[in-house]
Amino acid sequence: MTISPDGLYQYGGAPVGGSLWASPWSKVIFVDGVNGKTGNSGERPDDAFSTIALATAKAKTGDVIYIRPLDYAIGRGVERYSEDVSITMTNTGLNYAGTTTFPLVQPSNISIIGCAHKTNAQYAVRWKPATATALTNTSPNLHVENIGFFAEDLLAISLLSNGSTDTQRGMDGTSFYN
């Protein structure tokens, strides 16, 4: 099987060397709705958080969150993460030049990636709102990949941007891939 430049096997499969491909400057955070626990660190698949909300609360600029898909259940189909998550940016002070003219925000440039199911790539991560909105984002450059959002009677995604100040920049640079 061919090995891709990013270290993954062609057509999926285990990463070469057992590690995931992410920026060396990123922290990788894991979510496992089956085996994860609230008190875990989220830093390894076998020490994953149980919810997406815990992972996004821990994430800082540039971090990557990997979410394990839930299993298929007879009578219900593909199980879904059911939670309302808000990613809210805050001003962290100095920018790279060392002045406060253009302050950095936390978190930004976060990636939330749904992993493919171990036996069928079509059974990827599914996410629905618990009470209001599955994902509300005011942080710039959010990247969401391989996640199916289900709203039924609620709002699945809210990207907030008021257009006049820098307090809500959820639409800036945000990308969704599926």
Side-chain angles (χ1 to χ4, degrees), residues 8-9 11 16 27 32 37-38 56 61 69 72 82 88 92 104 111 130 132 138 146 150 153-155 158-159 169 177:
L8 299 178
Y9 289 114
Y11 307 118
V16 176
K27 182 187 326 174
D32 181 343
K37 296 193 176 25
T38 302
T56 58
T61 293
Y72 188 93
S82 180
T88 306
T92 63
L104 295 175
S111 294
T138 65
N146 201 32
F150 293 82
D153 295 328
L154 301 170
L155 184 62
S158 177
L159 304 175
R169 302 304 295 244
Y177 293 97

Side-chain angles (χ1 to χ4, degrees), residues 91-115:
N91 178 338
T92 63
L94 301 178
N95 72 358
Y96 292 112
T99 70
T100 56
T101 307
F102 299 103
L104 295 175
V105 296
Q106 282 286 352
S108 63
N109 307 327
I110 291 176
S111 294
I112 302 175
I113 301 172
C115 297

Side-chain angles (χ1 to χ4, degrees), residues 69-70 72 78 115-126 146:
L70 299 175
Y72 188 93
V78 178
C115 297
H117 194 276
K118 60 188 171 198
T119 58
N120 188 334
Q122 294 178 359
Y123 299 146
V125 172
R126 306 293 192 253
N146 201 32

Side-chain angles (χ1 to χ4, degrees), residues 22 24 27 36 53 59 101 114 123 131-132 149 161 167:
K27 182 187 326 174
T101 307
Y123 299 146
T131 59
F149 287 91
S161 183
T167 59

Side-chain angles (χ1 to χ4, degrees), residues 3-9 13-19 21:
I3 299 173
S4 302
D6 64 2
L8 299 178
Y9 289 114
V16 176
S19 62
W21 179 255

Side-chain angles (χ1 to χ4, degrees), residues 153-173:
D153 295 328
L154 301 170
L155 184 62
I157 301 168
S158 177
L159 304 175
L160 299 178
S161 183
N162 62 14
S164 61
T165 67
D166 290 334
T167 59
Q168 294 181 327
R169 302 304 295 244
M171 296 172 131
D172 288 3

